[in-house]
């Protein structure tokens, strides 16, 4: 696992810090990612409920992606910490670049936990799920 903290950046969402975690695309390592998520959310003064929502949301996003990850590849998670929330992008290289279905129960749960959710395909069929959670907002159930 590698961790990289960037200097504060001045961009559209006001990113204060950026952290990237790379680990094998294997569910055995997800506890490390859940812990990193909770620690970063606590740093931004998220409530305990919001922290738990993010932990579960990241876990759910990883479960969606790990099922299609190419063997031997890495799961990359990028955290962008802003004054009002956190953006989390989880991505893996896949065989076919297939986006997760948005009409599933898993996607509905993910949306309820994280607030704003999107998915995209990048170069080399890298599929990403992007979560954006604002601090202190109540999401509809």
């Amino acid at each position: 696992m590698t961790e990289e903290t960037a200097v504060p950046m001045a961009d559209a969402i006001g990113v204060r810090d950026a952290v990237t975690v790379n680990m094998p695309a294997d569910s055995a390592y997800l506890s490390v990612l859940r812990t990193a998520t909770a620690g970063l959310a606590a740093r931004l003064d998220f409530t305990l409920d919001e922290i738990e929502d993010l932990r579960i949301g990241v876990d759910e996003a990883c479960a969606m992606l790990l099922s299609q990850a190419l063997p031997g590849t890495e799961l990359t998670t990028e955290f962008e910490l802003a004054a009002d929330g956190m953006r989390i992008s989880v991505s893996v290289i896949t065989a076919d670049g297939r986006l997760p279905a948005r009409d599933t129960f898993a996607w509905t749960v993910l949306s309820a936990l994280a607030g704003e959710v999107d998915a995209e395909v990048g170069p080399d069929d890298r599929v990403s799920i992007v979560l954006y959670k604002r601090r202190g907002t109540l999401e509809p159930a």
Side-chain angles (χ1 to χ4, degrees):
M1 178 179 81
T2 62
E3 184 175 319
E4 177 181 305
T5 303
V7 294
M9 298 181 289
D11 66 5
I13 64 169
V15 174
R16 296 189 329 198
D17 290 309
V19 177
T20 300
V21 178
N22 294 311
M23 62 181 61
D26 185 321
S27 62
Y29 296 93
L30 292 184
S31 62
V32 173
L33 195 53
R34 287 189 298 267
T35 301
T37 301
L40 292 169
R43 183 170 178 225
L44 292 176
D45 294 325
F46 278 88
T47 67
L48 291 176
D49 287 339
E50 291 168 333
I51 292 170
E52 190 60 21
D53 286 352
L54 278 171
R55 283 172 34 93
I56 296 168
V58 166
D59 201 50
E60 190 66 38
C62 290
M64 294 170 131
L65 293 174
L66 288 178
S67 65
Q68 59 178 332
L70 286 178
T73 59
E74 288 189 337
L75 175 77
T76 300
T77 307
E78 298 171 341
F79 299 89
E80 292 178 0
L81 287 61
D84 68 339
M86 182 166 31
R87 179 186 176 276
I88 305 168
S89 175
V90 182
S91 66
V92 295
I93 295 176
T94 66
D96 60 4
R98 182 176 29 91
L99 289 172
R102 294 173 187 246
D103 61 350
T104 63
F105 179 71
W107 190 268
T108 302
V109 168
L110 188 58
S111 297
L113 292 170
E116 299 173 33
V117 183
D118 198 9
E120 55 195 34
V121 178
D124 300 324
D125 290 328
R126 177 173 288 277
V127 176
S128 302
I129 295 178
V130 182
L131 318 172
Y132 188 75
K133 179 83 168 174
R134 294 184 195 283
R135 186 179 61 245
T137 58
L138 296 174
E139 302 299 331

